[in-house]
Amino acid sequence: MAGIRLQPEDADPPQTRTPTAGELISDDDRSIAADSWSIKSEYGSTLDDEQRHADASDALAAGNFPPAPDYCFDKEEVEDGDGISSTLGLQSYWDAAYSDELVNFREHGHPGEVWFGTDVMETVASWTRSVCSSITQRNMSNRVDDDGKPEPVEQEYQDLSTWTILDIGTGNGLLLQELAKHGFSDLTGIDYSEDAINLARGLAQRHGFTNINFLVDDVLETKLERQFSLVMDKGTLDAIGLHPDGPLKRFMYWDSVSKLLAPGGIVVITSCNSTKDELVQEVENFNRRRNGVLDEPEMLGNLEQARSSCSLQYIDHVRTYPTFMFGGVIGSRVATVAFLRKTDI
């Protein structure tokens, strides 16, 4: 379990003290979160970061978007007047959790928590491969040779080796290892927790996945200068919604993800706090506000900036998760949804 340091058998009993109420965090709190969260508890000190935060605040206010409702029943919530927040939305929580998990790995070989469980992780990886394979084959089937005949789908496209993958909030990196087993090879994982990245590197080396690249990076203030054809998120958006400034940071998240995605690329979101319909609605809200800048006079003629505002379009979702009915509505505890980045320019 994340955040629990196992003591060696010959270790002296540790000195204990009674924790305060504010320090108590349940295991359930940690079990519903994702691999780690690519967010920060401060906005940053540079002018660019402050201006970006201000711009996102204006966009969110102008769009009049309500915060996404919370549907994860396992976490401890705090009502703060502006919505629901939690320690799970703070970087300090995850730095402490992964510090303990890294010690557990080095002393006992424990890989750490698999957020949402192994079954969900395997489902996400296999389903994502199917979606990418379908897109690849559809794109290749549209290509013709000089005689007007369809070109055959080459093996390099069939095995998905040309897809570039970014895992946001990678944590221990096990999702990327699972994707590697399904034929993906250009794999990058980012996390703002340095200990999470050290843990991911250690596990990848132990399991022989030397081709996976792990970097310390915050998705909301990313230093990455490349785009990816596939962006994965297993719980990161959930934690952003638990930050005291959750609605604002969720808007900033979609803005950043849309720029990290190459045209025609897809983002796969796995969440326990939002349903499929809520994620679709959130993306539609983001599209309406973000693409509105194309109508502003100062944006005309600025092709590069306009392209960064292209739409995300829902394409599919996992339909095999167990479901339940509550209040006459059928749902599941986990939702995995894929969105395609369109380019209309």
Side-chain angles (χ1 to χ4, degrees):
M1 181 65 68
I4 302 176
R5 179 175 176 176
L6 302 178
Q7 296 291 335
E9 294 181 358
D10 57 350
D12 295 332
Q15 298 296 320
T16 61
R17 65 180 179 84
T18 301
T20 64
E23 296 173 324
L24 292 175
I25 301 174
S26 70
D27 287 341
D28 283 343
D29 251 352
R30 291 180 175 178
S31 68
I32 58 90
D35 295 340
S36 180
W37 318 113
S38 301
I39 58 176
K40 295 178 66 176
S41 56
E42 295 83 23
Y43 297 135
S45 58
T46 67
L47 178 62
D48 288 344
D49 291 340
E50 292 174 355
Q51 185 60 50
R52 186 179 181 192
H53 180 272
D55 291 344
S57 297
D58 293 341
L60 188 67
N64 193 28
F65 305 146
D70 194 319
Y71 283 86
C72 196
F73 304 108
D74 294 333
K75 72 172 179 301
E76 185 175 313
E77 302 166 348
V78 178
E79 190 73 32
D80 61 4
D82 294 325
I84 294 175
S85 63
S86 166
T87 54
L88 290 169
L90 303 177
Q91 180 177 351
S92 58
Y93 175 90
W94 295 106
D95 283 341
Y98 279 108
S99 175
D100 287 338
E101 288 205 347
L102 182 60
V103 171
N104 285 337
F105 170 69
R106 289 173 173 172
E107 294 184 355
H108 308 285
H110 293 224
E113 190 77 16
V114 178
W115 303 110
F116 301 140
T118 301
D119 289 345
V120 169
M121 180 178 70
E122 293 174 350
T123 296
V124 169
S126 61
W127 180 83
T128 298
R129 186 191 191 285
S130 297
V131 171
C132 293
S133 296
S134 297
I135 291 175
T136 297
Q137 293 178 12
R138 183 170 64 250
N139 290 343
M140 291 299 297
S141 66
N142 292 332
R143 297 177 56 177
V144 296
D145 58 22
D146 295 338
D147 297 327
K149 298 180 180 179
E151 293 184 350
V153 179
E154 300 176 7
Q155 182 62 35
E156 64 173 315
Y157 290 98
Q158 291 179 342
D159 65 14
L160 304 176
S161 63
T162 60
W163 285 77
T164 56
I165 292 85
L166 175 66
D167 184 24
I168 297 174
T170 193
N172 56 19
L174 293 182
L175 176 59
L176 287 174
Q177 292 189 29
E178 194 67 26
L179 289 169
K181 296 175 185 177
H182 284 273
F184 295 98
S185 58
D186 189 336
L187 301 158
T188 300
I190 62 171
D191 201 294
Y192 67 0
S193 173
E194 185 174 359
D195 283 338
I197 293 301
N198 289 332
L199 174 62
R201 288 170 176 164
L203 285 167
Q205 183 176 7
R206 185 175 77 177
H207 297 156
F209 293 98
T210 57
N211 62 313
I212 303 177
N213 184 32
F214 292 105
L215 303 170
V216 178
D217 190 67
D218 180 350
V219 68
L220 297 189
E221 300 174 8
T222 183
K223 303 300 187 293
L224 298 178
E225 297 181 351
R226 61 178 292 197
Q227 291 182 313
F228 298 84
S229 51
L230 172 61
V231 173
M232 303 294 297
D233 174 345
K234 185 160 65 69
T236 300
L237 185 60
D238 287 343
I240 290 177
L242 297 178
H243 190 276
D245 295 315
L248 168 63
K249 285 185 173 286
R250 289 175 77 106
F251 186 90
M252 295 172 66
Y253 166 91
W254 287 112
D255 183 47
S256 182
V257 166
S258 66
K259 294 173 182 176
L260 287 168
L261 266 181
I266 64 173
V267 54
V268 176
I269 307 288
T270 299
S271 169
C272 73
N273 280 7
S274 299
T275 66
K276 172 265 212 180
D277 291 339
E278 288 166 351
L279 288 171
V280 171
Q281 185 61 57
E282 183 173 0
V283 167
E284 290 177 353
N285 289 342
F286 169 76
N287 286 338
R288 282 196 295 269
R289 176 55 197 166
R290 205 65 192 146
N291 291 341
V293 300
L294 297 177
D295 297 328
E296 299 176 6
E298 60 270 23
M299 287 292 295
L300 298 179
N302 191 335
L303 187 59
E304 180 179 356
Q305 194 170 1
R307 280 176 174 164
S308 71
S309 301
C310 293
S311 298
L312 296 173
Q313 179 185 32
Y314 162 79
I315 55 175
D316 202 359
H317 69 281
V318 171
R319 305 167 193 270
T320 58
Y321 292 136
T323 61
F324 63 91
M325 178 172 289
F326 182 79
V329 178
I330 298 177
S332 64
R333 293 178 64 85
V334 180
T336 298
V337 188
F339 298 93
L340 173 74
R341 182 188 163 180
K342 297 170 55 182
T343 301
D344 298 326
I345 297 177

